[in-house]
């Protein structure tokens, strides 16, 4: 028998318990061991919960119990979660987590500690919820030189953008309804400003390169400035708008990573990813393109991914599972030197000024819209675009990059 401790009995933690208990026969068979949840750590009591008798409040009880060999960290944050994870690994207990913030900030350090103590730090659930993506990067695609990763990595923002497109509604209106339905947090900043997606692309980029990508240095832009009008122009141009987290290899020592809204062609596979679903589009030098799609968040999809890591640990006791992620930081390329086209929405009456600033572009006017017009610039360097765009401050209403 393998004893497990669950840290945090919130949405994901309770989901981990539910997955293990509901699928007990199958989980035990695949683990080749009987798995038992011995402890659930939480500050609260759950007297009416069927597993409430397993709830404890002192982490040291878990730490000192040598019969507990696997810990599921579903607390979130980088405070107590970091300290508890570090201490568990130093005692030779494997840790499986859904905590993308902790993985992005301390991943290589915790992997190093796990290796030194012949245990594992696994984090399949930290990116894409129930979508298998960490394992494919670590196993299935090891023969590949991964050249680029582009993903829709946040279900809240994808839900909001999908609703804005379908209903012609503005951001604030859709956000409010998303909060009422529980699809968005009361404080949605981490999602709508792109920070959540940023941490996830930092993790994927680090695994892609085998070196550390600092999430705090990644250029990040959210969706709060996207409007219903932008979607009207995107539709007329045969495009849609998605918040994309992108990473591509520049050289062995440099990577370009960013999070921002992009207009993408309707033919692109990511354009069809709607609602709370996520997808990761991976480009390898031999395989070419492959895409991994599914529910990127939620209680049971995320918990399922945590339990898959638990099973992996149970099947490999005392053996370090391969993960290439060194502590050395890799250099981040300057996003402002990237070349691409841009969509500009400008005030009516300033067509001449826009065309003079960005010659060779394409004008787009919509019937019934007299207050503004759209314009697609030619391919140009981002810093060149930004300088000209900012000089037109009172004449422009917004800009979106093109993929």
């Amino acid at each position: 028998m393998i004893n497990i401790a669950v840290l945090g009995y919130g949405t994901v933690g309770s989901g981990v318990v539910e997955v293990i208990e509901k699928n007990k026969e199958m989980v035990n068979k695949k683990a080749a061991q009987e798995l038992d949840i011995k402890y659930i750590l939480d500050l609260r009591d759950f007297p009416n919960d069927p597993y409430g008798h397993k709830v404890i409040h002192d982490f040291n009880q878990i730490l000192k119990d040598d019969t507990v060999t696997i810990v599921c960290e579903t607390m979130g944050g980088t405070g107590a979660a970091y300290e508890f994870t570090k201490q568990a690994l130093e005692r030779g207990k494997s840790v499986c987590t859904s905590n993308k913030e902790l993985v992005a900030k301390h991943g290589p350090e915790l992997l190093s500690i796990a290796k030194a103590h012949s245990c594992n730090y696994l984090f399949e659930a930290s990116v894409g919820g129930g979508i298998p993506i960490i394992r494919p990067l670590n196993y299935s695609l090891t023969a590949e030189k991964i050249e680029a990763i582009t993903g829709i990595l946040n279900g809240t923002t994808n839900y909001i953008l999908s609703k804005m497109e379908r209903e012609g509604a503005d951001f604030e209106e859709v956000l409010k309804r998303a909060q009422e339905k529980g699809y968005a947090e009361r404080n949605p900043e981490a999602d709508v400003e792109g920070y959540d997606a940023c941490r996830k692309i930092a993790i994927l980029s680090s695994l892609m390169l085998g070196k550390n990508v600092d999430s705090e240095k990644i250029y990040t832009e959210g969706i709060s400035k996207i409007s219903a009008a932008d979607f009207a122009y995107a539709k007329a141009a045969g495009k849609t708008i998605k918040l994309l987290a992108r990473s591509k290899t520049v050289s062995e020592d440099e990577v370009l990573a960013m999070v921002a809204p992009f207009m993408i062609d309707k033919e692109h596979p990511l354009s069809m990813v709607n609602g709370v679903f996520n997808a990761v589009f991976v480009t390898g030098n031999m395989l070419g393109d492959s895409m991994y799609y599914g529910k990127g968040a939620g209680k049971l999809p995320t918990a399922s991914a945590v339990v898959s890591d638990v099973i992996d640990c149970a099947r490999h006791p005392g053996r370090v599972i391969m993960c290439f992620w060194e502590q050395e930081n890799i250099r981040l390329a300057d996003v402002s030197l990237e070349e691409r086209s841009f969509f500009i929405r400008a005030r009516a009456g300033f067509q001449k000024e826009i065309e003079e600033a960005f010659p060779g572009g394409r004008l787009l006017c919509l019937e019934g819209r007299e207050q503004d017009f759209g314009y697609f610039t030619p391919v140009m360097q981002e810093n060149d675009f930004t300088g000209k765009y900012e000089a037109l401050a009172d004449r422009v209403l917004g800009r979106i990059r093109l993929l």
Side-chain angles (χ1 to χ4, degrees), residues 356-367:
E356 286 178 350
F358 305 99
R362 179 165 65 94
L363 182 68
L364 180 60
C365 297
L366 298 186
E367 187 177 346

Side-chain angles (χ1 to χ4, degrees), residues 70 94-96 120 122 308-317 321:
I70 301 175
S94 291
V95 177
C96 307
N120 287 289
L122 302 183
S308 75
D309 281 343
V310 170
I311 293 171
D312 221 358
C313 289
R315 291 169 65 178
H316 301 93
I321 297 169

Side-chain angles (χ1 to χ4, degrees), residues 220-281:
T220 303
E221 186 180 313
I223 65 167
S224 56
K225 294 179 181 177
I226 302 298
S227 69
D230 293 323
F231 273 106
Y233 284 103
K235 181 179 179 181
K239 301 178 185 294
T240 188
I241 303 168
K242 298 291 184 184
L243 181 71
L244 299 183
R246 303 188 64 222
S247 179
K248 69 176 183 179
T249 303
V250 176
S251 69
E252 290 185 4
D253 302 312
E254 190 174 25
V255 63
L256 188 141
M258 68 183 299
V259 176
F262 280 82
M263 270 195 188
I264 62 176
D265 289 334
K266 284 288 190 177
E267 288 75 25
H268 195 290
L270 288 173
S271 73
M272 294 173 270
V273 179
N274 294 309
V276 297
F277 283 83
N278 285 191
V280 185
F281 194 77

Side-chain angles (χ1 to χ4, degrees), residues 11-48:
T11 301
V12 178
S14 61
V16 168
V17 174
E18 185 175 340
V19 170
I20 290 176
E21 294 300 327
K22 279 194 173 182
N23 291 348
K24 200 169 190 66
E25 184 178 344
M26 183 203 69
V27 167
N28 290 344
K29 183 177 180 180
K30 290 186 176 180
Q33 295 268 6
E34 184 179 346
L35 304 184
D36 182 65
I37 296 167
K38 189 169 184 180
Y39 302 113
I40 299 170
L41 181 75
D42 204 284
L43 294 172
R44 303 160 293 174
D45 288 310
F46 299 85
N48 300 318

Side-chain angles (χ1 to χ4, degrees), residues 2-238:
I2 291 179
N3 287 322
I4 299 164
V6 177
L7 310 186
Y9 201 45
T11 301
V12 178
S14 61
V16 168
V17 174
E18 185 175 340
V19 170
I20 290 176
E21 294 300 327
K22 279 194 173 182
N23 291 348
K24 200 169 190 66
E25 184 178 344
M26 183 203 69
V27 167
N28 290 344
K29 183 177 180 180
K30 290 186 176 180
Q33 295 268 6
E34 184 179 346
L35 304 184
D36 182 65
I37 296 167
K38 189 169 184 180
Y39 302 113
I40 299 170
L41 181 75
D42 204 284
L43 294 172
R44 303 160 293 174
D45 288 310
F46 299 85
N48 300 318
D49 189 278
Y51 306 103
H53 62 287
K54 298 190 177 189
V55 174
I56 62 170
H57 308 299
D58 183 5
F59 175 68
N60 285 317
Q61 191 173 341
I62 295 168
L63 198 63
K64 293 175 181 178
D65 189 339
D66 292 335
T67 69
V68 174
T69 56
I70 301 175
V71 174
C72 299
E73 187 274 296
T74 61
M75 300 169 64
T78 57
Y82 169 69
E83 294 299 331
F84 291 171
T85 296
K86 188 176 179 181
Q87 291 174 49
L89 294 172
E90 288 172 342
R91 291 292 287 261
K93 302 178 190 292
S94 291
V95 177
C96 307
T97 186
S98 59
N99 189 343
K100 83 277 294 183
E101 186 179 1
L102 181 59
V103 176
K105 189 170 184 179
H106 295 291
E109 176 197 356
L110 296 172
L111 283 166
S112 179
I113 294 171
K115 185 176 181 180
H117 293 85
S118 300
C119 57
N120 287 289
Y121 183 58
L122 302 183
F123 43 89
E124 180 65 67
S126 67
V127 179
I131 304 172
I133 184 60
I134 305 296
R135 243 180 224 92
L137 289 176
N138 280 338
Y139 295 97
S140 308
L141 300 176
T142 49
E144 291 289 314
K145 180 180 179 182
I146 305 300
E147 297 176 336
I149 295 175
T150 302
I152 295 172
L153 299 178
N154 184 271
T156 298
T157 51
N158 203 46
Y159 172 85
I160 290 171
L161 292 175
S162 297
K163 283 288 186 181
M164 288 175 67
E165 179 177 36
R166 289 173 181 170
E167 299 176 6
D170 273 314
F171 170 78
E172 292 294 344
E173 178 187 343
V174 177
L175 171 61
K176 184 179 179 181
R177 281 191 274 130
Q179 289 171 318
E180 290 170 353
K181 292 183 177 181
Y183 291 135
E185 300 286 345
R186 189 166 295 177
N187 178 2
E189 183 181 21
D191 293 320
V192 301
E193 296 303 336
Y195 304 138
D196 177 76
C198 173
R199 292 169 187 140
K200 293 172 181 176
I201 197 62
I203 294 168
L204 295 180
S205 301
S206 298
L207 295 176
M208 176 176 83
L209 298 156
K211 296 180 181 179
N212 191 52
V213 174
D214 188 344
S215 63
E216 295 181 1
K217 294 181 180 179
I218 293 176
Y219 176 88
T220 303
E221 186 180 313
I223 65 167
S224 56
K225 294 179 181 177
I226 302 298
S227 69
D230 293 323
F231 273 106
Y233 284 103
K235 181 179 179 181

